[in-house]
Amino acid sequence: MTIEGTENSTPDSPLSGNPDPARPASRSAKSSTILTRRRLLLLWLILAAAAIPLTVRLYHHYHRRASGMPSSPPRENTGDFAGPLTRPAIAYNPSRPPSRPWLDPKRTAPSPLAYHTFAASAIGGRETFCLLYLPPGYNDPANAARRYPVIYWLHGYLCEPQHGTPFIDALDAAIRAGRIGPTIAVIPNGLVDSWFVDTADGSQPVESIIIKDLIPHIDANYRTIPDRRARAVEGFSMGAWGAGHLAFKYPELFSAVTMVSAPFQVPEEFWQLQRIFAGDPAAYYAEDPVTRARRDPARLAQDVRIRMICGDKDQLGHYGDNIAFDKRLTQWQIPHEFKIVPGVGHSDADIYERLGPGAFDFYKEAFEALGR
């Protein structure tokens, strides 16, 4: 563990606040005023309703408390679930729309990212997208034979792939400073609330898209090192849970994982249990990183480099989750790193800013031993 009012009415106007007593306001004028007020109230309600999702997103992204989260002290997820860690095959259901379109209507990406589309068999051959970062020198003819490791970065709940820019900016700075070798980064479309699993209703097979479609597509179309030893997954909040879920479920695909401000809750406190897992705690545990770590500690200890990062002022209660999981990993003899970032709340931007290029020393050791 390391710590680091109206102005133009006249006095005798029917709409004036001081009408002429000799000429009482007409009934039609009063009706008009009431109608106007009702319209204004309706407009206010519509605007307020439209602002709620944006407000929640900003609260989540800029370290305020998101609505719907449990406010009482959470129960610890001890990983002791004894049932099978399998779920029935879930067929894609195109009749149920995902929580966000598979393609971003804007089709844009903030620099230095690029918007990239690909066909996904997991959604019937439809196109979806990711954001792609290619390191400095990738397109230089002198590097035409060079191959690169890849980090997949998973965004948070209610957020978008574009919210991965703090991670990308930090990675770019670390590469330019020589703290890590040139590395490709990919940010999948995790929708609003996929948790990077296949949802029980078949509407959001995001896990299958990443595992079956995106990773093979990136390896086939870019100069990656197509080897688990050169592939890592990292994420923030929802994406941190998703990163742990994918790395622990598919250690044959990932050699390293970083979970930034991850929630490690029990299903009874997972506010989207019905939405994602049809209300089935066993389905939740089948994808839960804590349960998978408890179930197969020897495999993870041997094959996956594990890191957790969390601010000690995390408003969503995730700091306590991380403290507890750190102790469990130690108890289960699974080597890992745990960085506590003092004074920082639930904000990936603040965490990456505080850690600076040194945040990527974790990957430097993993990737440097591989030939390019």
Side-chain angles (χ1 to χ4, degrees):
M1 179 189 302
T2 59
I3 298 179
E4 288 208 46
T6 60
E7 298 178 355
N8 296 324
S9 59
T10 60
D12 54 357
S13 164
L15 299 182
S16 170
N18 183 30
D20 183 348
R23 291 197 311 166
S26 67
R27 184 175 301 172
S28 61
K30 290 182 179 178
S31 299
S32 176
T33 301
I34 293 172
L35 182 60
T36 299
R37 289 174 178 171
R38 286 178 176 172
R39 286 173 175 169
L40 289 172
L41 177 60
L42 179 61
L43 177 61
W44 183 86
L45 290 173
I46 292 172
L47 292 174
I52 288 173
L54 176 61
T55 301
V56 172
R57 179 179 300 176
L58 291 174
Y59 271 34
H60 176 82
H61 195 63
Y62 295 105
H63 27 135
R64 298 174 186 171
R65 190 177 186 84
S67 64
M69 308 289 183
S71 56
S72 57
R75 289 171 46 196
E76 182 189 350
N77 183 348
T78 60
D80 290 335
F81 174 72
L85 301 187
T86 57
R87 297 170 65 194
I90 302 169
Y92 172 53
N93 184 357
S95 68
R96 299 182 67 90
S99 55
R100 177 180 294 127
W102 292 116
L103 290 172
D104 184 349
K106 298 187 294 292
R107 293 178 177 256
T108 59
S111 179
L113 287 161
Y115 182 86
H116 179 80
T117 63
F118 62 98
S121 62
I123 50 175
R126 291 169 171 79
E127 282 197 329
T128 185
F129 80 98
C130 65
L131 299 187
L132 180 68
Y133 168 81
L134 298 177
Y138 180 90
N139 292 315
D140 188 332
N143 295 325
R146 182 169 187 168
R147 306 192 75 86
Y148 300 82
V150 185
I151 302 173
Y152 288 81
W153 193 87
L154 312 182
H155 64 75
Y157 175 69
L158 291 176
C159 294
E160 300 173 333
Q162 288 83 346
H163 289 145
T165 51
F167 167 80
I168 296 297
D169 290 344
L171 172 61
D172 187 71
I175 292 172
R176 295 179 187 278
R179 297 296 291 264
I180 184 175
T183 301
I184 294 171
V186 181
I187 307 180
N189 177 11
L191 307 175
V192 170
D193 59 354
S194 72
W195 291 86
F196 298 92
V197 302
D198 292 348
T199 52
D201 64 1
S203 67
Q204 301 184 166
V206 172
E207 175 183 328
S208 291
I209 290 173
I210 293 172
I211 300 301
K212 298 177 181 179
D213 295 304
L214 179 57
I215 292 175
H217 174 82
I218 294 297
D219 284 345
N221 290 276
Y222 295 91
R223 297 195 311 275
T224 68
I225 303 172
D227 186 305
R228 64 168 297 278
R229 294 173 298 166
R231 189 182 300 119
V233 60
E234 178 165 336
F236 170 69
S237 196
M238 175 184 84
W241 189 94
H245 150 68
L246 293 178
F248 296 173
K249 186 174 182 178
Y250 302 101
E252 71 276 13
L253 294 180
F254 300 100
S255 65
V257 58
T258 297
M259 297 165 281
V260 182
S261 304
F264 298 113
Q265 62 242 314
V266 294
E268 293 81 5
E269 293 177 347
F270 179 51
W271 65 98
Q272 287 199 295
L273 185 67
Q274 183 63 42
R275 162 85 173 113
I276 306 300
F277 298 107
D280 182 6
Y284 173 89
Y285 281 124
E287 312 293 8
D288 171 43
V290 180
T291 302
R292 287 191 170 272
R294 174 67 179 87
R295 192 71 61 93
D296 199 5
R299 175 75 187 271
L300 296 184
Q302 176 179 329
D303 290 343
V304 182
R305 294 172 59 91
I306 300 170
R307 177 174 62 165
M308 299 185 299
I309 304 173
C310 193
D312 66 356
K313 302 300 181 184
D314 191 293
Q315 300 90 328
L316 303 188
H318 298 177
Y319 178 58
D321 290 350
N322 281 260
I323 290 289
F325 193 35
D326 169 52
K327 292 178 180 178
R328 293 290 175 180
L329 289 174
T330 301
Q331 174 188 342
W332 301 330
Q333 299 183 340
I334 300 176
H336 64 286
E337 295 181 18
F338 180 30
K339 287 187 177 295
I340 298 172
V341 187
V344 172
H346 195 71
S347 169
D348 55 333
D350 289 351
I351 285 174
Y352 290 123
E353 181 180 9
R354 180 70 64 83
L355 295 179
F360 295 90
D361 292 347
F362 174 76
Y363 298 115
K364 182 181 178 69
E365 296 177 12
F367 294 158
E368 272 200 339
L370 292 167
R372 296 295 189 259

